[in-house]
Amino acid sequence: MSAVKTLGQFIIERQSDFPYAKGELSRLLRDLAIAAKIVNREINKAGLADILGEAGSTNVQGECQKKLDIYANEQFIAALKNGGECCIVVSEENDEYIYIDSAVSKDAKYIVAIDPLDGSSNIDVNVAVGTVFSIYRRKSEQGKATMEDILQKGTEQVAAGYIIYGSSTMLVYTTGKGVNGFTLDPSIGEFCLSHPDLTIPQDGTIYSINEGNYTHFPDGVKKYIKYCQVEDRNTNRPYTSRYTGSMVADLHRNLIKGGIFIYPCTASSMYGKLRLIYECNPMAFIIEQAGGLASNGYTRILDLDVKELHQRSPVFIGSENMVKVAEEFMASFSPQVLKRTFEGVVSIQ
Ligand code: AHG
Ligand code: MN
Ligand code: MN
């Protein structure tokens, strides 16, 4: 039987892959993994503890915060503060970015953007939820980091990952040299390498989208959904529809099995729902590193300009050939969405 490799051992082995290898990024990943274990512990016993349900407050996007949203946010921020390698945290749960003002962190090199708890609507019903993180190196050399340090394109990410708290808990991450997955072994409390060099199948048979919003989708998406449902032996259609409402869970499945995840713009939400900095960009980095594609329907997600902390973007992400076909549908049937996006007109074809 081969020896187990823990996340800690793996990170140390791969440290020389990093462009500025002094161990800081390795320590940052370690800090995130520690917080993930603590959050995992609470999620596992969520039905027992008085931690389910609403916290009675709303976040910057007007969404109801669940107790676990707040708990996870606190744990990740605390781990990053204590670790000393991160100078700024951008979180879904905080309106403004958090400047980490401590003696150890003030000249820290890294910025972390995080969705501490993804799939909040699934917390109370014991369906998989996740955490998504993205790591940038600050632009300025020292002193107080600013917005300019934060608003970098997705192509500038030095690492990104997610944790899925599912039937087992996994941490999947990339530093731009492929994607590796680690499963938490609760008996030893360690993430162990279980999915080395993850690749996403080039073709898939799963499409993941909230079809309840069909009426509000642009024509390109409506026509693509119908295409997925048509019988065709050559392309293994009709495809299977799978959507949990936790992007991390839906994308994790599609990464392993092959598929496409779509959260498009809708009639009421021109830029879709998902946030660029801490949802779309990290997932796009991971999926591209696994051999897939991530688009806003027209353009590569990682090339999009980042102007605001909580900026949203439509997303079409997954198996290469499926995303390409979806983009063709958008170009043919919804070219106006792009045009109007540039013109700032809130209306879709
Ligand atoms: P979050 O829980 O961090 O707010 O994210 C929820 C996101 C994403 O995980 C999921 O795919 C999507 O919202 C579900 O939205 P709908 O309920 O509109 O389908
Ligand atoms: Mn989310
Ligand atoms: Mn969230």
Side-chain angles (χ1 to χ4, degrees):
M1 201 178 124
S2 58
V4 165
K5 185 171 288 177
T6 67
L7 175 65
Q9 289 166 335
F10 184 87
I11 288 173
I12 291 166
E13 265 178 31
R14 296 290 177 100
Q15 194 164 302
S16 57
D17 282 354
F18 303 144
Y20 311 91
K22 285 201 194 118
E24 294 121 329
L25 189 54
S26 300
R27 286 195 290 275
L28 194 50
L29 288 166
R30 177 208 59 193
D31 298 337
L32 289 164
I34 292 170
K37 286 187 217 174
I38 296 170
V39 170
N40 177 66
R41 188 188 63 201
E42 289 312 299
I43 288 175
N44 275 180
K45 62 181 185 191
L48 295 171
D50 179 28
I51 198 158
L52 287 177
E54 317 286 331
S57 52
T58 51
N59 68 7
V60 54
Q61 282 126 110
E63 298 159 340
C64 243
Q65 288 177 307
K66 305 272 180 177
K67 287 178 193 166
L68 267 175
D69 279 315
I70 294 169
Y71 181 82
N73 194 35
E74 285 169 359
Q75 291 304 322
F76 280 101
I77 291 170
L80 292 169
K81 268 187 185 162
N82 293 337
E85 306 298 350
C86 170
C87 56
I88 283 182
V89 184
V90 179
S91 167
E92 181 192 3
E93 302 305 331
N94 297 85
D95 193 352
E96 306 291 339
Y97 64 79
I98 299 152
Y99 178 68
I100 299 186
D101 197 8
S102 72
V104 278
S105 302
K106 77 176 168 39
D107 290 325
K109 308 259 181 317
Y110 293 97
I111 288 167
V112 174
I114 193 160
D115 176 356
L117 215 291
D118 175 71
S120 309
S121 67
N122 283 325
I123 294 169
D124 294 355
V125 290
N126 214 346
V127 171
V129 293
T131 295
V132 192
F133 63 87
S134 167
I135 303 176
Y136 292 85
R137 198 178 156 87
R138 60 184 286 181
K139 292 268 179 214
S140 53
E141 280 305 312
Q142 55 191 8
K144 198 163 178 171
T146 63
M147 274 298 245
E148 232 173 82
D149 291 302
I150 301 170
L151 300 181
Q152 301 186 42
K153 283 189 181 183
T155 45
E156 303 293 309
Q157 289 173 99
V158 293
Y162 64 80
I163 296 110
I164 175 166
Y165 311 96
S167 44
S168 62
T169 293
M170 280 187 72
L171 186 151
V172 174
Y173 83 98
T174 183
T175 54
K177 307 242 178 233
V179 181
N180 289 284
F182 301 79
T183 302
L184 182 64
D185 180 341
S187 66
I188 57 170
E190 294 278 6
F191 284 104
C192 301
L193 183 61
S194 53
H195 295 64
D197 295 319
L198 270 169
T199 53
I200 182 167
Q202 220 177 348
D203 288 292
T205 55
I206 297 171
Y207 70 103
S208 308
I209 184 167
N210 186 344
E211 280 183 73
N213 294 328
Y214 186 87
T215 306
H216 305 296
F217 289 156
D219 286 348
V221 173
K222 284 182 178 166
K223 293 256 196 311
Y224 179 71
I225 291 174
K226 288 297 164 205
Y227 163 89
C228 293
Q229 295 169 346
V230 165
E231 186 148 33
D232 176 53
R233 288 219 178 132
N234 290 334
T235 50
N236 288 319
R237 284 180 287 147
Y239 296 153
T240 295
S241 168
R242 289 278 184 277
Y243 188 81
T244 68
S246 293
M247 177 193 53
V248 169
D250 286 317
L251 261 175
H252 180 71
R253 181 215 315 105
N254 292 2
L255 167 58
I256 291 178
K257 295 197 162 185
I260 187 169
F261 174 92
I262 302 176
Y263 208 108
C265 55
T266 61
S268 60
S269 177
M270 168 109 232
Y271 297 98
K273 176 180 182 187
L274 300 182
R275 281 57 57 113
L276 187 55
I277 298 191
Y278 42 81
E279 290 179 321
C280 303
N281 271 338
M283 285 308 198
F285 190 22
I286 294 164
I287 293 294
E288 280 199 7
Q289 280 294 314
L293 288 181
S295 163
N296 68 354
Y298 310 95
T299 306
R300 185 182 178 215
I301 290 280
L302 296 180
D303 284 332
L304 296 175
D305 283 330
V306 183
K307 299 206 165 77
E308 290 168 28
L309 290 185
H310 300 285
Q311 186 173 330
R312 295 172 194 263
S313 172
V315 61
F316 298 67
I317 181 169
S319 292
E320 180 184 347
N321 291 338
M322 296 182 89
V323 174
K324 280 184 177 161
V325 171
E327 276 184 324
E328 283 165 21
F329 274 87
M330 291 303 284
S332 302
F333 299 104
S334 296
Q336 290 302 312
V337 176
L338 183 64
K339 191 163 159 267
R340 290 179 191 179
T341 301
F342 287 134
E343 288 167 359
V345 179
V346 183
S347 133
I348 61 166
Q349 184 181 334

